[in-house]
Each structure stands twice: as C-alpha cells, then as structure tokens.
C-alpha cells in the first residue's frame, strides 16, 4: 500500500494529512497497485547497456535561424534537449517560438506547435503576421498530455513546442490544471519523449513578476536548458536570458526588439542603448553594465528640477532599483553637500532596459550631479562603480572586460573604482575611491 500527493507527486507508505513535499492539505491518495499501472511499466522499461553498446546522441546541433538564439544556447539546438522557455504573460514567448518553429520547419522538416491556449486559427493569424507559411509546420490545439503524446508519436517532428506547460493536463483528476503536480508531470513525460525521439522540445512556462506560482522553478531540474524572456510590455525591448544550460554557458543574453513582424534580433547590443551620435547634454552618463558575460553600454538619464511646492518632492525612476537609488540620493546629499532633498528627481535608463547591477551606482550619481549642476559629462567618458553608504566607491566584477569593451567602442576615458587595469588599453582610466573623487574627476563639484 502506498500513497501519493496529488499536487506534487510525493510518495509515502502511509496516508498523511499534510504533504511534506509541497505543504498541501489532504492531498494524499492511494496509489493503485498491480503490474498494470502506467508508472510501473515506465519504471521497468529501462535497459542495462554495456558502455560500448550505448549509442551516443546525435551531435549535430540544429540552427534556429535566429543567430542570437543559437549563440545564447551554446551554438544551436541539440536534438533530444528540453528547453524551458519562461516569461511573463504577453511578453512575446509565443511570438518568438512561432518564429523559431517556422525557421526549424523550413530547414529540417516537421515541427509540431501545440497550443493549449489558442485555437489553430489564432496561431495561424499570428503566423501570417510574422510572414510564416511553412507547410512543414503543424499546429495542434490540445491540452491532454495523452493526446499530445499520440500526435507526437504519429508525426515524429524534429522539434516540438508546447505552449504552455500550465495548460497541459498530465493526469485527469490529478490536481489543478497549472498546479505543481500537473506541470511537473507534464514536463517529465514530455522530456522522456523528447529524449526517446531525439526531438528538440520547447516548454513554455508563464511566470509572474515575483517568479512564484506553479512555475519554472519546480521543473528546472527536469530540463536541459532554461531561458527567460524579459522586458517591459510598454517598451519594445526584449532580453532572452539563459539561466541554466547543460550544453553551454549560463547568464548569456540575446537582445530583441518587438516590431510589427515579431521579434527582431539586435546583433550588436553594446551600443544599442546609447544613441551613436549622442549630443552631450547635462544629466546623461554612460555606463558599461554586464548582462551575462557581455558588457552593454547604457545611458543613465537624470532630471533634477525644483519642486514647484505642491506636495512632496518627486522621486520617479524607470529601469532602476527604486530603493537603491534613494540611498544613492541620500549619499549625494550628505557627502557632496548637494541639496536635492527638496527637489524633484527623475531617472531613466535609455532604451527601456532594466539595470539591477550595483556597477550602475556611480553612473546614477554622475547623471544626477550633472543635471543638478547643469554641467555636461564629456561624451567620450564612461563611468561605473558600486557606491557604499559612506560614499565609498567599490570594485565591481569584470572591470577589465568592461574597460576593453568601451575602448573598442571608441571611448577615451573611464572613471572607475580602484582595481586592476588591463594591459594595453589606451583608455585614460581614473580610479576613484569615493563619490567626492568621482565628482571631481568628472568636473561636477
Ligand atoms: P505573445 O507572443 O502572445 O506573448 P506571450 O506568449 O509571452 O504571452 O505576444 C504578445 C504581444 O506581442 C502582443 O501584445 C502583441 C505583440 N506583438 C507584436 O508587437 N508584434 C508581432 O508581430 C506579434 C506577433 C505580437
Ligand atoms: Mg502565449
């Protein structure tokens, strides 16, 4: 006799009121015994093989046709691999995956796109909008795993997209649709199928801003690769980020722009967020931030203006960590004697990017001071560094890589924290240990 949690699959020899696996109440049900059960069949199926008998998986990677996606994944898609594709609703997951599915179908033949959320007609409309008309792209509107599995076995596609995991019913009556148990079982079974049939398998997963709910975290261990599509729905910028990759490095990013015809890749994002012919204006500072292993140049824009006296001073920011910026503003007030406590401060990151790295701190300082003093930071100068509560400027990771990148992009001068400077850069590197020194170096005192 055994019992299993309906929600998460946790098994126990005795019935429990509360599941130790997921904390659900009264979720245990008796497991059917006997050799006929599906679980046991699956369990017995494995075959012991001597190493020389084992066939290596196909080594050729498939190319998605989107070179940035291929680069992010470590050089293409490995047949039999399972890729978790997360992101908030409406961010563009279905769009990007339909584009990838279309490209794969054009190059390699049959691709199956399963939608549990949209009717085939809706997917077709999107395909038309994206200019996809591949005869080898097959659509299926289905939620039941069993029937999805049947379609896969019949069609034998080279690639499969399941949009989304949260709509798949793995076990009728086995917990809520979209619940942890269903999602996890669906992912596990689809992964088995992908391996058995050497098929590339994309599993779409919705996540909320917090990243909680029956989401990707509960299935990440089941997949080979996990990528997340991020960006603000208001802006047109999208970043695809790899969180896990069994076949390549993680924390890589690929940048896209959402347009009339889907997502268009931005192959050289390092200059994308800073207009090339940037007229130097007060309130603007350029910072090389690290997104994954790649430095990206971003423009921090600040506007400091007198409060009109109707209500408390405004603090508005886009793309930056609100609380962190408040601390930096307090540091500026205290260390530099700049009176911004009663003024309105607006901050934004050019291009709509979200920057969460501490290296941006000194850039925020510089942009605010530049606007406050109405003095321009020379356009050939970049600045980065973490700012501590005492006004100290602290080292950040991969400073040499950042310096090399900005040099390549034609900058002449960098105001940075103390630390090693790479050999052979022709850049003028000014190391500053405090915000006071930083302001001095930039001519903003
Ligand atoms: P979608 O791929 O449906 O998002 P998700 O699957 O992550 O929920 O994309 C949603 C948004 O993208 C929608 O608001 C419309 C917009 N969009 C474009 O701007 N251009 C396009 O070519 C397409 C297909 C969608
Ligand atoms: Mg969708």
């Amino acid at each position: 006799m055994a019992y299993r949690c309906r929600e998460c699959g946790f098994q126990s020899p005795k019935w429990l009121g509360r599941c130790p696996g997921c904390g659900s109440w009264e979720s245990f049900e008796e497991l059917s015994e006997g050799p006929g059960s599906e679980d046991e069949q699956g369990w017995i199926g494995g075959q012991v093989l001597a190493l020389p008998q084992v066939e290596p998986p196909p080594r050729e990677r498939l190319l998605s046709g989107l070179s940035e996606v291929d680069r992010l994944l470590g050089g293409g898609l490995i047949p039999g691999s399972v890729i978790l594709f997360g992101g908030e609703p409406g961010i563009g997951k279905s769009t990007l995956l339909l584009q990838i599915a279309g490209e794969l179908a054009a190059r390699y033949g049959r691709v199956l796109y399963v939608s549990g959320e949209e009717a085939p007609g809706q997917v077709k409309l999107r395909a038309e909008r994206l200019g996809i008309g591949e005869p080898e792209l097959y659509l299926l509107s289905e939620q039941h795993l069993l029937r999805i599995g049947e379609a896969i076995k019949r069609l034998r596609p080279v690639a499969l997209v399941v949009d989304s995991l949260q709509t798949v019913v793995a076990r009728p009556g086995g917990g809520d649709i979209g619940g942890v148990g269903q999602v996890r079982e669906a992912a596990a079974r689809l992964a088995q199928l992908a391996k058995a049939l050497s098929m590339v398998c994309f599993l779409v997963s919705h996540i909320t801003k917090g990243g909680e709910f029956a989401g990707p975290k509960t299935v990440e261990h089941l997949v080979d690769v996990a990528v997340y599509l991020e960006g603000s729905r208001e802006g047109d910028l999208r970043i695809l980020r790899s969180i896990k990759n069994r076949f390549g490095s993680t924390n890589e990013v690929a940048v896209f722009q959402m347009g009339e015809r889907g997502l268009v890749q931005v192959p050289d994002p390092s200059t994308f967020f800073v207009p090339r012919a940037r007229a130097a204006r007060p309130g603007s500072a350029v910072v090389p931030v690290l997104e994954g292993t790649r430095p990206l140049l971003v423009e921090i824009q600040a506007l400091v203006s007198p409060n009109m006296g109707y209500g408390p001073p405004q603090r508005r920011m886009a793309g930056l960590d609100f609380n962190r910026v408040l601390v930096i503003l307090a540091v500026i007030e205290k260390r530099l004697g700049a009176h911004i406590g009663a003024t309105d401060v607006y901050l934004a990151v050019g291009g709509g990017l979200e920057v969460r790295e501490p290296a941006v701190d000194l850039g925020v300082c510089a942009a605010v001071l530049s606007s406050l003093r109405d003095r321009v930071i020379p356009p050939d100068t970049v600045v980065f560094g973490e700012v501590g509560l005492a006004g100290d400027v602290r080292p950040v990771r991969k400073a040499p890589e950042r310096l090399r990148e900005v040099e390549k992009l034609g900058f002449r001068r960098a105001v940075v924290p103390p630390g090693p400077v790479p050999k052979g850069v022709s850049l003028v590197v000014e190391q500053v240990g405090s915000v006071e020194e930083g302001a001095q170096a930039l001519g903003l005192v």
Side-chain angles (χ1 to χ4, degrees):
M1 191 75 65
Y3 295 86
R4 173 167 55 195
C5 169
R6 216 184 301 122
E7 297 301 325
C8 73
F10 187 94
Q11 293 198 9
S12 155
K14 60 180 204 291
W15 190 87
L16 299 171
R18 181 163 196 238
C19 173
C22 65
S24 305
W25 290 94
E26 313 246 342
S27 60
F28 275 85
E29 55 195 15
E30 208 178 305
L31 212 54
S32 62
E33 267 176 305
S37 91
E38 207 186 333
D39 273 333
E40 288 196 25
Q41 279 174 11
W43 202 82
I44 297 166
Q47 207 185 342
V48 180
L49 295 171
L51 190 57
Q53 291 177 290
V54 179
E55 292 273 346
R59 229 165 276 173
E60 292 273 290
R61 288 181 185 240
L62 307 184
L63 297 179
S64 72
L66 289 148
S67 55
E68 283 295 281
V69 172
D70 294 333
R71 183 186 57 75
L72 179 89
L73 297 175
L77 303 152
I78 296 188
S81 65
V82 181
I83 301 148
L84 184 69
F85 205 100
E88 286 173 45
I91 203 70
K93 299 181 295 300
S94 302
T95 304
L96 186 54
L97 281 171
L98 196 57
Q99 289 177 261
I100 293 173
E103 290 281 353
L104 287 174
R107 285 161 185 246
Y108 304 104
R110 289 195 289 261
V111 172
L112 179 61
Y113 189 105
V114 181
S115 180
E117 305 181 348
E118 291 164 303
Q122 279 173 286
V123 182
K124 167 94 178 189
L125 275 183
R126 181 181 294 127
E128 275 174 1
R129 182 168 170 188
L130 297 170
I132 298 169
E134 291 316 318
E136 294 286 34
L137 181 55
Y138 291 81
L139 305 181
L140 170 68
S141 199
E142 182 56 70
Q143 299 195 322
H144 286 274
L145 183 61
L146 212 62
R147 288 204 279 276
I148 296 171
E150 279 165 11
I152 294 168
K153 287 177 213 158
R154 226 177 311 121
L155 191 67
R156 290 299 192 106
V158 290
L160 166 76
V161 177
V162 175
D163 188 1
S164 65
L165 259 187
Q166 275 94 357
T167 58
V168 177
V169 180
R171 187 182 289 265
D176 297 342
I177 299 186
V180 182
Q182 296 280 13
V183 164
R184 205 184 282 180
E185 182 155 349
R189 303 235 166 204
L190 288 164
Q192 277 175 350
L193 214 47
K195 298 270 180 281
L197 304 179
S198 283
M199 147 187 95
V200 175
C201 174
F202 289 97
L203 302 176
V204 175
S205 185
H206 294 292
I207 50 169
T208 47
K209 259 236 155 39
E212 325 86 34
F213 106 74
K217 293 286 173 243
T218 63
V219 290
E220 249 174 43
H221 64 285
L222 294 171
V223 302
D224 301 301
V225 179
V227 297
Y228 288 79
L229 190 62
E230 323 171 333
S232 71
R233 247 177 296 177
E234 298 77 46
D236 59 1
L237 202 78
R238 299 290 181 275
I239 288 183
L240 190 64
R241 189 187 298 275
S242 66
I243 303 296
K244 167 181 178 175
N245 192 348
R246 287 191 181 142
F247 318 114
S249 56
T250 47
N251 260 323
E252 289 296 332
V253 296
V255 180
F256 298 87
Q257 237 178 329
M258 180 66 98
E260 277 298 298
R261 302 193 68 192
L263 287 148
V264 181
Q265 50 191 18
V266 179
D268 181 19
S270 62
T271 51
F272 184 73
F273 305 99
V274 178
R276 238 171 230 286
R278 196 171 59 97
R281 281 195 217 91
S284 158
V286 177
V287 181
V289 297
L290 271 185
E291 284 293 336
T293 51
R294 272 181 152 186
L296 292 182
L297 236 42
V298 299
E299 183 188 26
I300 308 295
Q301 302 162 355
L303 175 64
V304 179
S305 69
N307 180 263
M308 299 318 246
Y310 317 115
Q314 299 286 319
R315 298 281 180 264
R316 298 264 171 95
M317 49 210 76
L320 294 163
D321 184 337
F322 189 79
N323 290 319
R324 201 168 176 95
V325 172
L326 292 189
V327 171
I328 294 171
L329 294 181
V331 169
I332 294 173
E333 176 100 29
K334 174 93 178 168
R335 309 302 318 173
L336 300 167
H339 300 297
I340 49 176
T343 56
D344 295 339
V345 179
Y346 305 93
L347 276 156
V349 180
L353 196 72
E354 292 264 331
V355 183
R356 295 280 169 232
E357 255 217 302
V360 79
D361 292 357
L362 197 57
V364 169
C365 254
V368 168
L369 282 177
S370 165
S371 176
L372 179 74
R373 310 265 194 243
D374 212 17
R375 262 186 239 154
V376 167
I377 297 171
D380 65 350
T381 302
V382 297
V383 37
F384 63 86
E386 180 178 346
V387 171
L389 287 183
D392 47 325
V393 175
R394 302 175 176 197
V396 295
R397 67 194 177 98
K398 300 208 170 163
E401 279 88 337
R402 297 178 208 247
L403 291 171
R404 267 190 231 108
E405 180 73 11
V406 297
E407 184 190 33
K408 257 200 310 205
L409 297 172
F411 286 82
R412 312 287 324 139
R413 200 165 149 251
V415 176
V416 304
V421 177
K423 284 198 190 77
V425 289
S426 62
L427 214 59
V428 177
V429 178
E430 285 181 58
Q431 300 191 335
V432 297
S434 65
V435 288
E436 293 94 321
E437 285 175 36
Q440 211 125 42
L442 292 164
L444 299 174
V445 276

